[in-house]
């Protein structure tokens, strides 16, 4: 990455006060949110300062020992899909993910849950569940709109199925697992996403808000989002906005000795570590600690950086730069090729 590319990347970053990143809503105790005493931080850095834009920017050695896809595995869309799904309908592509495996899971767990409700003695004589009959595959497809619903299903039947739709066995639910009721479906879908497409070298991580106004213990409120109330999802995406991995935020992600942002990244990146991928992240995720963890697993990190992150070099944070100016530091304390470039446009991170 040359000087011009760094400047362009920083120009596109969100550094205004209205950015949702500047008020990211996380209920966990994250030490990264606190102002650190940067004067007490000591790192073995090599320092480079260029306060004027120049085309002769000397690029540090960016981990030349990391090789992308060392086993030469196929990347991009699964070749089997390319060969067998030419000129097919949108429904055929939908069926790649919502296939018989998903339908059978829904059939088994929905019928089981309905029978459990039906067997409860506290049901009144007029309870709607008294009219329950087991659902089959064709009726389930009608329920999801795969066929013309009004022609094949009454409103009462639709609402009854909706009230008992299930993807897990409640009797096996572990304590304190808020996502158990949907986790089996999530795992199946994520596996199918990965089978359909292997990401190319560059990946991006960010969060998304699914609008929801109902009662939910982990419903989030983020004032700067278009939809202020909803369920927050961390997503790992590749080119053309394809989602390869995602994680539903259910609250309290903090782990002893590990930052929330770092924990989320390492979980989502698990299938792609040790193969030279490059992760792009915003300033909620980026830190020197995360960069070191990823480099340990042969993975690059590119991202903007908040000024109050721990271990930030004090010379970089304190330096006043003109627009387009660059200041860089290279850390060789732990890695022969470990380099972190702190490019700054009116400061690379937001004000603490």
């Amino acid at each position: 990455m040359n000087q011009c590319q760094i400047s362009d990347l920083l120009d596109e970053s969100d550094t205004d006060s209205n950015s949702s990143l500047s008020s990211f809503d996380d209920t966990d105790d994250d030490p990264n949110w606190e102002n650190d005493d940067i004067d007490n931080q000591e790192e073995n850095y090599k320092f480079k300062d260029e306060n004027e834009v120049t085309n002769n920017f000397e690029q540090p050695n960016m981990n030349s020992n990391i090789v992308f896809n060392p086993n030469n595995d196929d990347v991009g869309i699964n070749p089997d899909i390319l060969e067998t799904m030419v000129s097919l309908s949108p429904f055929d592509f939908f069926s790649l993910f919502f296939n018989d495996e998903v339908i059978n899971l829904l059939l088994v767990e929905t019928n089981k849950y309905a029978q459990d409700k039906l067997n409860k003695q506290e049901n009144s004589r007029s309870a709607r569940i008294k009219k329950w009959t087991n659902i089959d595959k064709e009726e389930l497809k009608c329920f999801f709109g795969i066929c013309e619903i009004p022609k094949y299903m009454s409103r009462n039947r639709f609402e009854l199925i909706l009230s008992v739709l299930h993807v897990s066995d409640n009797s096996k639910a572990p304590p304190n697992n808020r996502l158990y009721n949907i986790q089996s479906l999530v795992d199946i879908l994520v596996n199918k996403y990965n089978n359909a497409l292997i990401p190319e070298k560059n990946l991006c991580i960010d969060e998304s808000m699914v609008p929801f106004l109902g009662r939910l213990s982990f419903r989030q409120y983020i004032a700067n989002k278009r939809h202020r109330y909803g369920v927050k999802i961390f997503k790992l995406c590749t080119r053309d906005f394809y989602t390869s991995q995602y994680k539903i935020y259910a609250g309290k992600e903090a782990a002893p000795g590990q930052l929330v942002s770092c924990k989320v990244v390492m979980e989502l990146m698990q299938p792609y570590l040790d193969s030279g991928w490059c992760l792009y992240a915003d300033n909620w995720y980026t830190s020197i600690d995360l960069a070191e963890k990823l480099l340990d697993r042969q993975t690059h990190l590119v991202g903007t950086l908040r000024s109050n992150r721990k271990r930030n070099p004090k010379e970089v944070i304190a330096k006043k730069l003109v627009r387009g100016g660059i200041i860089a530091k290279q850390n060789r304390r732990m890695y022969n090729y470990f380099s972190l470039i702190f490019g700054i446009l009116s400061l690379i991170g937001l004000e603490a």
Side-chain angles (χ1 to χ4, degrees):
M1 181 179 292
N2 57 35
Q3 185 269 338
C4 293
Q5 290 173 319
I6 294 174
S7 297
D8 291 342
L9 179 64
L10 293 173
D11 270 329
E12 296 173 0
S13 63
D14 294 326
T15 56
D16 58 272
S17 59
N18 294 324
S19 169
S20 63
L21 299 174
S22 63
S23 60
F24 186 82
D25 180 30
D26 196 305
T27 57
D28 301 325
D29 293 329
D30 188 345
N32 270 4
W33 294 105
E34 302 297 332
N35 288 320
D36 302 315
D37 183 7
I38 60 176
D39 292 333
N40 294 328
Q41 298 171 10
E42 296 293 338
E43 295 279 357
N44 183 17
Y45 287 107
K46 293 180 66 176
F47 187 65
K48 182 176 180 64
D49 182 0
E50 292 190 12
N51 214 359
E52 296 182 0
V53 178
T54 173
N55 292 326
N56 297 320
F57 178 71
E58 179 182 349
Q59 182 175 342
N61 189 337
M62 294 298 290
N63 305 291
S64 58
N65 60 321
I66 296 180
V67 178
F68 172 65
N69 196 11
N71 298 324
N72 293 320
D73 297 326
D74 290 331
V75 296
I77 300 175
N78 189 320
D80 293 335
I81 295 176
L82 292 176
E83 293 176 3
T84 61
M85 303 197 68
V86 178
S87 302
L88 295 182
S89 67
F91 172 73
D92 293 318
F93 287 92
F94 173 75
S95 298
L96 284 174
F97 308 104
F98 198 87
N99 62 1
D100 286 344
E101 183 181 7
V102 175
I103 291 175
N104 290 334
L105 173 67
L106 289 165
L107 280 176
V108 171
E109 296 301 338
T110 297
N111 286 328
K112 184 179 187 305
Y113 181 67
Q115 288 298 328
D116 290 342
K117 290 189 66 175
L118 188 60
N119 295 333
K120 289 183 178 179
Q121 297 181 354
E122 60 265 25
N123 291 326
S124 65
R125 292 183 178 180
S126 60
R128 181 180 294 179
I129 193 65
K130 294 283 188 179
K131 299 179 180 180
W132 174 259
T133 57
N134 281 351
I135 190 173
D136 59 25
K137 183 181 296 186
E138 295 304 316
E139 192 176 23
L140 186 63
K141 289 182 178 179
C142 288
F143 174 82
F144 282 103
I146 298 176
C147 60
E148 189 179 350
I149 296 179
K151 184 177 179 180
Y152 298 102
M153 184 178 295
S154 67
R155 184 194 65 182
N156 287 347
R157 179 62 174 173
F158 178 87
E159 292 179 347
L160 180 57
I161 295 173
L162 181 63
S163 69
V164 296
L165 190 67
H166 245 60
V167 296
S168 61
D169 187 347
N170 286 359
S171 63
K172 298 179 181 179
N176 302 321
N177 187 342
R178 294 175 172 178
L179 298 177
Y180 170 78
N181 284 342
I182 61 170
Q183 193 61 56
S184 56
L185 178 60
V186 170
D187 293 341
I188 291 175
L189 292 176
V190 169
N191 182 61
K192 294 184 182 300
Y193 297 158
N194 288 319
N195 289 337
L197 183 142
I198 303 299
E200 298 178 2
K201 183 175 182 179
N202 298 322
L203 295 165
C204 176
I205 188 170
D206 206 347
E207 67 278 349
S208 178
M209 182 73 83
V210 178
F212 182 74
L213 295 175
R215 296 177 60 185
L216 189 64
S217 60
F218 51 89
R219 187 187 69 176
Q220 296 289 297
Y221 171 79
I222 302 180
N224 293 333
K225 291 289 189 181
R226 180 179 180 182
H227 302 287
R228 291 177 294 175
Y229 291 94
V231 178
K232 186 161 55 185
I233 299 177
F234 297 107
K235 302 174 69 175
L236 187 67
C237 300
T238 185
R239 192 176 64 176
D240 298 328
F241 317 108
Y242 185 85
T243 299
S244 295
Q245 296 276 337
Y246 69 90
K247 176 183 175 65
I248 300 172
Y249 178 77
K252 296 301 178 184
E253 290 285 345
Q258 190 175 27
L259 303 178
V260 175
S261 55
C262 185
K263 179 175 180 288
V264 169
V265 169
M266 298 306 291
E267 286 184 12
L268 293 183
M269 283 293 295
Q270 185 60 41
Y272 308 112
L273 298 173
D274 304 312
S275 295
W277 263 275
C278 182
L279 177 67
Y280 289 78
D282 61 38
N283 57 22
W284 187 76
Y285 302 94
T286 308
S287 66
I288 297 178
D289 288 338
L290 176 60
E292 291 180 346
K293 286 181 179 294
L294 289 175
L295 283 170
D296 278 339
R297 302 298 302 272
Q298 301 293 297
T299 303
H300 289 294
L301 174 65
V302 177
T304 53
L305 184 69
R306 294 194 175 193
S307 62
N308 64 338
R309 290 298 194 193
K310 287 186 175 181
R311 299 176 60 197
N312 283 351
K314 61 182 181 181
E315 295 91 343
V316 171
I317 302 304
K319 187 67 176 180
K320 302 297 182 181
L321 295 179
V322 299
R323 182 174 179 81
I326 285 180
I327 187 170
K329 277 205 166 185
Q330 185 171 353
N331 181 336
R332 296 185 180 276
R333 180 174 59 89
M334 297 177 64
Y335 301 92
N336 291 332
Y337 297 103
F338 173 37
S339 53
L340 289 171
I341 299 179
F342 297 87
I344 296 184
L345 278 166
S346 301
L347 196 59
I348 191 168
L350 302 176
E351 290 296 333

